Amino acid sequence: MDTWQDLIALVDARLEAASHSERGVFAAGVAERLMGWHEALPEDEQAAFTLGLRPLLNSVWEGVLGDPEVHTAVNRGLAEYMLSDYCHNDRLVGPEDAYEPAAAATLNAAYAYLFGCTDFAVWASRRAIDDQHLEHLAGAGLEDGDFLDTDKALIDELKRQLRDLDLIAARSTELRHTYFGLPILTSVRLRVELRTPLSRRG
C-alpha cells in the first residue's frame, strides 16, 4: 500500500513532468474544490478575503481552458493582492487571510496560470492537504463520536490529485495551446470534460 510520503512524491514528480498548461488546470481544479468547500461553510465561518477571490478564480479557469483575453484580469487580480496588506511574509504581524487554504490555492493557481512554474502547482496541491481541510474531509459523513482519520483523508486526497492529473494528461495535446487561445467550441468542451469533474468535491 502506498504511503502518503510516496504519494506526495509522485504528485510532485507528475507536476514536474507536466506542461505549463496542465499545471494551470490542475491548480485551478484544486483551488475550485477548496473554494467550493469554503463557500459551503456557515456564513459566520466564511472569510471575506477568500470569497473576494472568486472572480480571480473564475478568470483563471477561463484562461487555463483557452481564453487568452483574461490574462490581463488575472494579472490585475494578483497585482491588487501584492499591493495589499494581505501580501506579506510575517504571520506574526500581518493579516493571515491569504493563508486560508482556498485563498492560498486560488492565488497559487493564478501564479501557475501566468508563469507555469512547478512550484505554484505544488503549493496549490499542498493547500488541499492543509490540516483544516483534512479534518473536513475526514469528518464528512461521520456520526458524533466517530474516529476522525486524517491519515486516510490525506491519502485519499493525494490519490484524488493523481486521478485528476491522469484526466488532465489525457488532454495534453489540446492543453498545450491553451495559453495562446483555443477555438471556442474546444474551450466549451474542455469546460465539461475538465472543469466539471475537477471541481467535484466528492
Side-chain angles (χ1 to χ4, degrees):
M1 179 177 174
D2 291 320
T3 66
W4 65 263
Q5 293 95 334
D6 293 333
L7 293 170
I8 281 183
L10 186 53
V11 168
D12 290 357
R14 291 282 302 274
L15 288 170
E16 179 67 36
S19 69
H20 175 153
S21 298
E22 289 174 88
R23 292 182 195 125
V25 174
F26 172 82
V30 172
E32 183 64 46
R33 288 192 290 116
L34 290 170
M35 183 66 78
W37 160 65
H38 192 88
E39 290 169 335
L41 291 173
E43 190 171 341
D44 62 347
E45 296 180 29
Q46 296 175 359
F49 178 79
T50 299
L51 297 179
L53 293 174
R54 165 51 78 181
L56 176 61
L57 180 53
N58 288 341
S59 293
V60 170
W61 269 119
E62 293 303 309
V64 298
L65 295 179
D67 181 1
E69 293 187 10
V70 301
H71 186 277
T72 300
V74 175
N75 227 344
R76 184 182 303 114
L78 283 177
E80 289 173 356
Y81 159 67
M82 288 188 286
L83 292 171
S84 73
D85 292 336
Y86 299 106
C87 183
H88 60 86
N89 60 3
D90 190 349
R91 296 182 74 170
L92 297 177
V93 176
E96 294 191 3
D97 304 60
Y99 291 93
E100 188 280 321
T106 296
L107 293 167
N108 280 305
Y111 286 122
Y113 162 64
L114 289 179
F115 306 113
C117 301
T118 303
D119 286 348
F120 294 124
V122 167
W123 293 333
S125 163
R126 294 297 192 271
R127 303 319 296 160
I129 57 176
D130 178 275
D131 288 344
Q132 184 182 4
H133 187 239
L134 286 180
E135 288 178 8
H136 159 74
L137 293 174
L142 293 183
E143 303 290 335
D144 286 343
D146 286 346
F147 175 65
L148 202 67
D149 191 349
T150 54
D151 286 345
K152 180 181 183 302
L154 170 59
I155 289 171
D156 288 348
E157 169 60 30
L158 291 166
K159 287 182 176 179
R160 161 67 189 268
Q161 291 185 20
L162 289 169
R163 291 194 300 272
D164 288 351
L165 285 165
D166 287 339
L167 180 68
I168 294 165
R171 290 153 182 83
S172 60
T173 301
E174 291 171 311
L175 291 173
R176 190 175 300 123
H177 308 290
T178 54
Y179 194 76
F180 301 102
L182 291 175
I184 184 66
L185 291 179
T186 303
S187 290
V188 170
R189 176 170 54 78
L190 289 175
R191 186 175 295 118
V192 173
E193 295 177 356
L194 289 176
R195 180 169 181 172
T196 299
L198 293 175
S199 301
R200 202 169 291 132
R201 285 183 284 151

